[in-house]
Amino acid sequence: FALVVLLWLTEPLHGVRAWIVAAAAVPLLLALRLLGARDLRRLDWGTLALIAGGIALGALVERSGLVALLA
């Protein structure tokens, strides 16, 4: 967990996008048996999708220049 957070916080230094770090963390946790199939089934996927959609929408609004226009 600490490694994933460190990689998220140092994204400008290594250039690996945060979503790639997060996506790579899940198979790693499964391979190390720190996360099981039962744990994956118990996740609230709706909430995760809502959060991911909000982050994507925020990035899109920033890249489009709307944030700068409104500011």
Side-chain angles (χ1 to χ4, degrees):
F1 177 76
L3 178 62
V4 171
V5 171
L6 180 67
L7 288 172
W8 282 340
L9 294 175
T10 58
E11 181 181 336
L13 298 176
H14 53 71
V16 179
R17 304 291 296 178
W19 69 268
I20 295 173
V21 172
V26 173
L28 181 63
L29 289 171
L30 287 169
L32 294 174
R33 298 196 184 272
L34 297 172
L35 188 66
R38 181 176 173 223
D39 299 318
L40 285 178
R41 284 192 299 270
R42 294 179 65 199
L43 286 175
D44 185 3
W45 291 101
T47 301
L48 291 175
L50 181 65
I51 292 169
I55 292 171
L57 184 60
L60 180 64
V61 169
E62 184 178 4
R63 282 189 190 160
S64 72
L66 186 59
V67 170
L69 180 69
L70 293 174

